[in-house]
Amino acid sequence: MAAQPVPHPSTDRRRVKVYELRNNDWFDRGTGFCTATFNATEDGQRDARVIVESEDQPGRTLLETRICKEDGFHKQQETLIVWTEPSNGVDMALSFQEAEGCAMIWKFIHSIQQQYNPTNPQDDSPTDELPIEAANPISLPEVSMSNLADIETQMRVLTTSIGGREALTKYVIAENYIDKLIPVVSDAEDLESLGDLHRLCNIVKTIILLNDTAIIEHAVSDACVIGVVGALEYDPDFPSHKANHRQWLQGEGRYREVVRIEDPGITRKIHQTYRLQYLKDVVLARILDDNTFSVLNSLIFFNQVDIVQHLQGNSAFLGDLFNIFKSGQDLTKKKEAVLFVQQCCAIAKNLQPPARQTLYNNFIAHGLLQVIHFGLRSNDVAVRVGATDILVSMLDHDPQMIRQMIYRQIHEKQPLLTDTLIDLLLVETDLGVKSQISDTLKVLLDQGPPIQAEAFAKANGEYAARARLAQAPDPQQDHFVGLFYEKSAVKLFQPLIALQERTSMKFTNVEASAFSYLVEILCFFVRQHQHRCKFFVMHNHIVPRITQLLQSPEKFLKLVAVRFLRHLVGSQDEFYIKHLSEKRVIEPVLDLLIKTMPRDNLISSACLELFEHIKKENIKELVKHMVENYREKLQSLSYMELFRTLILRYDQTSGFTVNMDYYLESEEDGSRDRRRNRLPPQRTTMEHLAMDDTQDEYWNTSDEEDELQARPGDRTLPANGESPGAKLLVDYASDEELDDNIEAGAISGDEDKPEERHQKAENPMATVPPPERVSEKRRREEDEEDDLSKMIQHKRRNSTSGPNASNTAPSPIRKKKAVAGGRDSGGAPKKIAISITSTAKTGDLGGDD
């Protein structure tokens, strides 16, 4: 055969990991760089080779393999090349770091393989895809006991590659290979040839794991399923054991028709679905891979969809099914009908919501409520479990459907479904059914999310309430809940109410389990039905009755009681807090803690967590109640920090809270002297607040402003007025008055008129304003600078236009320099006195505070 042109080999190295299959596990031989090239032989020929040199040791070769016809190189995914070494039959693999490097090496390998297996002489260009479609048709040996070993070996080799798997799949379907294998199973059993039976089991497993839907559907058909599972009974991994799959599938009574299904296609799919589930969950459960598991699930799902769609669209079938509960049928027929509806609801969980909704609506329209009532009141445990499963399935989908049924019962004055559930809860022995009924009652009586407390936000110094607008409750649901508390709640919690007349707290298993679920339901009602539940708890004395459970020898009942009390305390509801104090239910918890405290167990931990929550949330009502009534018991537990803190907190506050408004008053709410003159609360209420020495000294010493106010006569003004720093700041007149005064030349710099100086000397307090705050002084100084700048500008305008400009101009300039000098000197801000007209001055002084 003439050699065909081969593209230039890749000379680029690509980072790759070399793997070797050892004992069904891939062993990492190292990381290196891969090169595909030609090597010259002794006879002058060129051999195509794949070489991997070590990354850590550049001179070491991790792999060197020759590309030949028998290798069977195959590319998997984007970065994987696998093959089998013809010299030793070891499976090898190259895992590339980059898809680009894998594509380049595979391009070279594929071009060499095309020379050995030319499939398209007209187009021998290399490609990145595997030549799957061009694979040669395979041919397996004839099916017989003597050829089973060869058949098993060839199938195992073919399944190692994608092309081999697809070729084997086509061959098995075309040759009807499964039908040829089934008679050999019987022959091997007759001859008791265990080795051949093990080979047959491996062959059947290989065929099923090809993941072809046509093969799997044929394997579970009526003609083949018994032979297929018969071969799978002899697993070579368990040579000393034999399964009994055929006995199970051939058992009489596995399939029962409650109402005859006329369509043979639907009947066939029902049988096929059952066999597929048995194959997936039992026969192949240990060896299933993800692909086969997905194929089996898909077949089961689509069969179930077809079955349910046929049943819900067949009105005659549904009518015959639900008429069983209306007529005088025997209990066995009714039991089978309940189990059939249960199985339909279980299948519906896998359907899309619209299809599931249609199925439930059809069931309700034909009388599903009667089925549930019959099942819940049945003496057969399987029927009760089936009825509760139906109810839970519908609640999981849409609780409103069941509520609408109950509303209809209320309107028609029929026995309510909730009453049936309550009767079953109190007598049921199966804990699973009890749990489902408890959850069902909570879902049916749920009124939505509880009302949230109002959120307050401070705005402009005042607290404004922002109450979230709650959705209006459903009037039908509200009426249903009200009717429940009127007629059904007492019956539900009757075991708790009846504890008042009991002296012994020893209960049977059924009674003890009922208390656990009843308290759980009651905690839910406390959270959801606030006002109705408060009245019910108070009127029926529920809290003292539950507290009696603390005397029970059963530890879980003690925990149930502590959990309920913890729920009430955690609700932060003032009603329940006061109710706990009035009923004095904290004392039994303290007694239980004192009794169990030497040991660290769940009971002591639950009790400690209850008291820790009281301390953490500072529930003052309960703290006061405990210390005033049970101080001695708390002191007996005072070796723990928790109870020492509770006693100390009560003693420090004498049972009352500290008025923190006194410390939260802001500076704007009143002057500092008024706050100092107001007496604080009694010292005993604040003894627990530590005050360091610096804070104490600050509050005890007076400040500069107080001294100014206390000794006003000590500060006299100089008679000549030549010291600007000694003059106090006064209020300026309005801008209009200043303009008029400036134009009239009434502003003087450092000199005052003789009359004014004489008045100031005689009455120095006339111009002294009251002490000012530091913040006001700073604000006035800033305003002063602005006003002085304005006056200087006005004066300059007047000096340029009037004849007396030369005489009046220097005064504001000297004033400004004095102010600037006083500030630059780093001393205290100096005050400036400005003389204005007598009218303006009189008005300003009159307006001074």
Side-chain angles (χ1 to χ4, degrees):
M1 181 179 63
Q4 297 182 2
V6 177
H8 191 276
S10 170
T11 58
D12 295 337
R13 295 181 175 184
R14 301 299 177 187
R15 195 166 186 267
V16 68
K17 274 186 175 292
V18 182
Y19 290 97
E20 177 183 340
L21 187 64
R22 298 180 183 177
N23 299 325
N24 295 325
D25 193 12
W26 288 103
F27 173 74
D28 185 3
R29 293 178 56 174
T31 304
F33 296 96
C34 181
T35 305
T37 184
F38 286 103
N39 285 350
T41 60
E42 296 178 356
D43 55 359
Q45 299 293 329
R46 295 195 307 170
D47 286 341
R49 293 181 178 273
V50 177
I51 303 172
V52 179
E53 294 183 0
S54 175
E55 181 182 31
D56 300 332
Q57 304 175 9
R60 177 168 168 260
T61 301
L62 294 177
L63 173 71
E64 183 175 356
T65 182
R66 186 169 65 90
I67 304 174
C68 58
K69 183 178 180 180
E70 295 82 6
D71 284 346
F73 281 87
H74 300 288
K75 181 183 177 184
Q76 296 181 1
Q77 302 175 358
E78 295 292 332
T79 59
L80 198 63
I81 297 177
V82 296
W83 74 96
T84 304
E85 287 286 346
S87 58
N88 51 17
V90 177
D91 293 331
M92 304 292 295
L94 292 177
S95 178
F96 288 82
Q97 179 177 345
E98 300 178 2
E100 179 185 359
C102 181
M104 184 173 294
I105 300 299
W106 173 249
K107 188 175 184 179
F108 176 84
I109 296 173
H110 184 56
S111 65
I112 302 301
Q113 286 184 328
Q114 281 188 332
Q115 297 180 16
Y116 296 121
N117 300 301
T119 58
N120 190 3
Q122 290 76 18
D123 185 14
D124 54 356
S125 60
T127 177
D128 287 348
E129 300 297 331
L130 287 172
I132 296 175
E133 299 297 333
N136 291 328
I138 65 171
S139 178
L140 296 177
E142 182 182 356
V143 179
S144 63
M145 293 182 61
S146 59
N147 295 330
L148 290 178
D150 295 336
I151 295 172
E152 181 186 3
T153 302
Q154 292 190 27
M155 282 189 174
R156 186 173 65 251
V157 173
L158 288 170
T159 54
T160 58
S161 64
I162 298 178
R165 292 172 64 89
E166 295 205 0
L168 180 60
T169 301
K170 293 178 181 178
Y171 181 81
V172 170
I173 295 174
E175 297 295 329
N176 205 6
Y177 212 71
I178 295 178
D179 293 342
K180 296 179 181 179
L181 290 171
I182 291 175
V184 183
V185 177
S186 301
D187 297 340
E189 285 183 327
D190 293 340
L191 297 175
E192 297 182 355
S193 177
L194 190 58
D196 292 332
L197 290 172
H198 288 167
R199 294 189 186 95
L200 283 169
C201 180
N202 289 333
I203 291 171
V204 173
K205 284 181 182 179
T206 302
I207 293 175
I208 292 177
L209 293 178
L210 290 173
N211 303 330
D212 186 80
T213 56
I215 293 177
I216 295 176
E217 288 179 349
H218 184 63
V220 296
S221 62
D222 295 338
C224 301
V225 63
I226 299 301
V228 169
V229 298
L232 294 173
E233 289 179 352
Y234 299 93
D235 194 339
D237 294 336
F238 303 95
S240 60
H241 294 81
K242 175 184 175 295
N244 57 349
H245 303 318
R246 285 175 291 184
Q247 179 182 351
W248 178 266
L249 292 177
Q250 288 177 336
E252 297 295 333
R254 298 295 177 192
Y255 173 73
R256 299 179 183 178
E257 278 187 328
V258 182
V259 177
R260 182 171 179 78
I261 299 176
E262 303 294 340
D263 191 345
I266 296 299
T267 305
R268 184 171 59 253
K269 286 190 175 181
I270 292 174
H271 292 303
Q272 186 185 83
T273 303
Y274 174 74
R275 293 163 184 168
L276 287 170
Q277 288 177 330
Y278 185 79
L279 197 68
K280 175 176 72 73
D281 298 333
V282 180
V283 181
L284 301 176
R286 191 175 55 85
I287 63 171
L288 273 183
D289 55 11
D290 293 340
N291 295 330
T292 309
F293 186 81
S294 177
V295 170
L296 292 174
N297 274 340
S298 298
L299 290 172
I300 293 171
F301 172 75
F302 289 115
N303 283 349
Q304 289 177 343
V305 171
D306 293 339
I307 294 169
V308 171
Q309 293 291 345
H310 172 78
L311 295 180
Q312 72 178 7
N314 192 342
S315 299
F317 176 84
L318 293 179
D320 295 340
L321 174 65
F322 289 98
N323 284 334
I324 295 176
F325 299 94
K326 299 178 182 178
S327 59
Q329 297 283 349
D330 58 352
L331 295 179
T332 304
K333 197 73 172 178
K334 292 183 179 180
K335 174 183 177 181
E336 293 176 354
V338 172
L339 298 180
F340 176 80
V341 176
Q342 176 197 8
Q343 201 166 20
C344 290
C345 292
I347 293 173
K349 293 180 180 179
N350 300 323
L351 302 180
Q352 297 297 324
R356 196 186 318 153
Q357 181 74 34
T358 305
L359 176 67
Y360 289 150
N361 288 339
N362 288 333
F363 280 178
I364 292 174
H366 285 83
L368 180 63
L369 192 57
Q370 294 179 347
V371 178
I372 296 175
H373 269 292
F374 170 79
L376 294 178
R377 299 184 179 186
S378 175
N379 295 325
D380 194 332
V381 177
V383 178
R384 292 201 301 271
V385 172
T388 52
D389 281 345
I390 296 170
L391 194 57
V392 170
S393 298
M394 299 185 68
L395 287 173
D396 289 340
H397 174 66
D398 186 9
Q400 197 61 25
M401 289 193 307
I402 305 297
R403 293 194 187 115
Q404 292 294 336
M405 295 167 55
I406 296 176
Y407 301 157
R408 195 178 307 115
Q409 288 178 328
I410 295 175
H411 181 70
E412 297 174 359
K413 300 187 181 304
Q414 297 178 357
L416 299 183
L417 175 62
T418 50
D419 293 340
T420 305
L421 293 173
I422 290 171
D423 294 337
L424 180 59
L425 177 65
L426 299 180
V427 299
E428 179 59 53
T429 57
D430 189 285
L431 296 181
V433 176
K434 275 181 178 289
S435 177
Q436 288 182 323
I437 295 174
S438 172
D439 294 338
T440 301
L441 286 173
K442 288 188 287 187
V443 172
L444 291 177
L445 293 166
D446 189 6
Q447 285 187 306
I451 301 175
Q452 300 292 334
E454 293 180 347
F456 293 93
K458 186 174 181 181
N460 298 326
E462 296 180 357
Y463 288 93
R466 297 184 301 180
R468 191 186 69 176
L469 296 178
Q471 295 181 354
D474 184 4
Q476 288 183 314
Q477 179 71 5
D478 190 66
H479 177 64
F480 167 50
V481 173
L483 196 63
F484 171 81
Y485 276 97
E486 291 178 8
K487 299 181 179 180
S488 304
V490 175
K491 180 170 63 175
L492 173 62
F493 296 105
Q494 184 59 38
L496 288 174
I497 299 174
L499 290 176
Q500 184 177 4
E501 301 176 356
R502 293 194 58 155
T503 56
S504 174
M505 291 293 111
K506 294 182 179 180
F507 308 101
T508 63
N509 292 335
V510 177
E511 292 175 335
S513 61
F515 287 136
S516 177
Y517 289 108
L518 290 177
V519 171
E520 183 181 352
I521 294 173
L522 187 58
C523 290
F524 175 80
F525 288 171
V526 168
R527 186 170 60 253
Q528 294 294 329
H529 310 152
Q530 297 184 356
H531 301 295
R532 289 190 176 95
C533 187
K534 289 177 183 178
F535 178 78
F536 178 80
V537 168
M538 180 183 65
H539 184 263
N540 294 279
H541 307 286
I542 296 296
V543 174
R545 302 289 80 78
I546 294 179
T547 309
Q548 287 183 249
L549 296 177
L550 295 173
Q551 305 171 11
S552 172
E554 298 291 342
K555 291 184 179 180
F556 78 93
L557 287 180
K558 297 178 181 178
L559 291 172
V560 165
V562 175
R563 184 169 70 245
F564 175 72
L565 297 178
R566 171 65 175 82
H567 187 80
L568 293 184
V569 173
S571 66
Q572 298 285 346
D573 193 304
E574 185 178 356
F575 170 82
Y576 289 119
I577 300 299
K578 291 184 177 180
H579 190 67
L580 292 176
S581 302
E582 293 174 358
K583 298 302 180 180
R584 304 176 69 88
V585 297
I586 301 297
E587 183 178 11
V589 181
L590 276 174
D591 295 337
L592 178 63
L593 180 61
I594 294 173
K595 181 180 179 181
T596 60
M597 197 51 224
R599 300 181 302 275
D600 291 333
N601 52 27
L602 193 57
I603 295 178
S604 61
S605 299
C607 296
L608 286 174
E609 200 278 334
L610 172 63
F611 294 113
E612 179 67 30
H613 182 78
I614 294 174
K615 186 200 80 169
K616 180 181 177 182
E617 299 299 328
N618 195 18
I619 305 177
K620 306 174 185 62
E621 183 74 23
L622 291 180
V623 173
K624 179 180 178 181
H625 169 73
M626 288 190 297
V627 179
E628 289 182 351
N629 296 280
Y630 321 119
R631 175 181 283 270
E632 295 181 357
K633 295 181 179 181
L634 291 177
Q635 288 177 344
S636 66
L637 297 170
S638 60
Y639 58 87
M640 288 183 286
E641 178 68 23
L642 168 62
F643 296 97
R644 288 201 304 271
T645 305
L646 291 175
I647 297 174
L648 180 63
R649 182 171 296 178
Y650 173 81
D651 293 340
Q652 289 173 343
T653 61
S654 298
F656 299 96
T657 59
V658 179
N659 184 14
M660 296 303 295
D661 293 337
Y662 168 78
Y663 300 98
L664 296 178
E665 185 176 0
S666 61
E667 184 179 354
E668 290 78 12
D669 294 335
S671 62
R672 188 179 304 168
D673 59 332
R674 188 171 67 244
R675 289 204 310 270
R676 186 180 298 109
N677 293 333
R678 186 173 58 187
L679 294 176
Q682 293 182 2
R683 183 63 178 174
T684 56
T685 63
M686 297 295 294
E687 288 176 352
H688 66 285
L689 295 179
M691 181 181 296
D692 57 16
D693 298 336
T694 57
Q695 293 177 347
D696 192 35
E697 181 182 358
Y698 172 78
W699 290 109
N700 291 333
T701 57
S702 60
D703 54 9
E704 181 182 356
E705 294 175 7
D706 295 334
E707 293 176 358
L708 290 175
Q709 188 173 8
R711 295 181 301 169
D714 296 344
R715 300 189 59 173
T716 59
L717 295 177
N720 54 7
E722 293 181 356
S723 178
K727 295 183 180 180
L728 299 179
L729 183 66
V730 298
D731 293 337
Y732 290 103
S734 62
D735 293 342
E736 293 80 1
E737 293 175 345
L738 285 175
D739 292 341
D740 296 337
N741 294 337
I742 291 171
E743 293 176 359
I747 299 178
S748 62
D750 297 337
E751 296 179 359
D752 293 330
K753 293 181 179 181
E755 300 84 3
E756 294 174 356
R757 289 200 304 268
H758 181 70
Q759 292 177 359
K760 291 178 182 179
E762 292 180 354
N763 188 12
M765 293 301 299
T767 59
V768 178
E772 301 175 48
R773 297 176 182 173
V774 177
S775 59
E776 293 181 357
K777 291 178 182 179
R778 293 176 180 174
R779 198 161 51 244
R780 290 181 182 276
E781 289 174 1
E782 293 173 358
D783 296 338
E784 174 189 313
E785 285 190 47
D786 297 338
D787 293 340
L788 285 176
S789 300
K790 293 179 182 180
M791 288 189 292
I792 292 171
Q793 292 175 2
H794 286 298
K795 184 61 180 176
R796 286 178 178 175
R797 284 202 307 268
N798 295 333
S799 64
T800 56
S801 59
N804 298 326
S806 61
N807 297 329
T808 58
S811 297
I813 296 176
R814 288 197 306 270
K815 176 183 285 292
K816 186 173 182 181
K817 287 181 180 180
V819 173
R823 289 177 181 170
D824 295 339
S825 63
K830 296 184 179 181
K831 300 179 181 179
I832 304 169
I834 299 176
S835 298
I836 56 178
T837 60
S838 58
T839 304
K841 183 185 296 185
T842 305
D844 291 345
L845 292 174
D848 250 350
D849 294 335

